[in-house]
Amino acid sequence: MTRRNPRRAPGRRPQRAKDVLHGPTGVRGDAFRCVGCRLDVPLTAPGTAHRNHCPSCLDSLHVDGRVPGDRAAGCRGRMVALSLSVRQDGEWMLIHHCLACGRLSANRIAGDDNALALVRLALRPLADAGMPARAMLAL
């Protein structure tokens, strides 16, 4: 029988504590520099235990493997925010696309992410004039 956290909503999976070291010397850092806009981004973020994208431009580095926070990917390519997805519990997820290896990954949004950038990303399909025609042809 599994133990349940009474403060956690049902159906949500727990996040692992961040137990990895950052930086070239193995020292735990307190920030990273964004590959897109060059902003210094703190590692702590409201709503997520594994900060992996810039709250300003939503870009990321391909550092995680299968498990969020494992930092097991060897690619280290630039990942751009491609679109948004919404989980069944209503949580928004960023879909990132790696420009180096082409892999897609889903990442939780953080509480301090730029709301305008998120809305622009959500409305991007509606801005494309050819999207409705292509969607109808796909049916």
Side-chain angles (χ1 to χ4, degrees), residues 32-105:
F32 65 89
R33 176 129 327 158
C34 174
V35 294
C37 65
R38 308 300 294 162
L39 179 74
D40 285 329
V41 179
L43 290 176
T44 57
T48 183
H50 309 289
R51 165 73 78 177
N52 65 347
H53 64 272
C54 174
S56 178
C57 68
L58 307 178
D59 281 359
S60 179
L61 270 182
H62 191 180
V63 292
D64 289 343
R66 250 183 92 64
V67 179
D70 66 0
R71 307 299 193 242
C75 176
R76 305 277 307 166
R78 181 177 177 178
M79 298 188 85
V80 294
L82 186 63
S83 86
L84 287 170
S85 174
V86 181
R87 291 176 39 177
Q88 288 181 347
D89 61 0
E91 182 179 25
W92 284 24
M93 304 287 285
L94 279 168
I95 307 300
H96 278 110
H97 176 246
C98 181
L99 298 177
C101 69
R103 184 166 179 213
L104 295 175
S105 69

